Amino acid sequence: MEHSDLHHQIVAMLADVFQIELSASIEDLTQDEVEEWDSFNHLRLVSELEDTFEISIDDEDIPDMLSLQQVKDLLQRHGVGVI
């Protein structure tokens, strides 16, 4: 999967999980910027990432997923596309 396709897929996933509108051109987003990024939706995001990309996210990585870039980095460590 190409970088831009994967980026857009992740942004769409964040928008869906948090029920917010996001521009596909957004370069980064942090938990502090999204009121809806609470603990419940954080776990929904983890579940969506695991299901969509067929990966298993380690429990110790979950608290560190606090931005779009950190999600991309995590996926890259799991071998999901070139980000």
Side-chain angles (χ1 to χ4, degrees), residues 20-70:
I20 58 174
E21 293 206 22
L22 291 174
S23 167
S25 64
I26 192 166
E27 286 303 313
D28 203 13
L29 180 75
T30 67
Q31 183 181 33
D32 293 337
E33 299 170 61
V34 180
E35 184 177 330
E36 294 82 356
W37 196 330
D38 57 17
S39 58
F40 176 74
N41 284 331
H42 190 81
L43 292 178
R44 285 186 58 222
L45 175 61
V46 170
S47 178
E48 283 292 317
L49 290 167
E50 289 180 327
D51 291 347
T52 300
F53 298 108
E54 298 178 350
I55 61 173
S56 180
I57 298 173
D58 296 330
D59 289 344
E60 60 266 9
D61 289 332
I62 293 172
D64 297 329
M65 296 173 32
L66 302 177
S67 71
L68 173 58
Q69 186 59 53
Q70 289 172 323

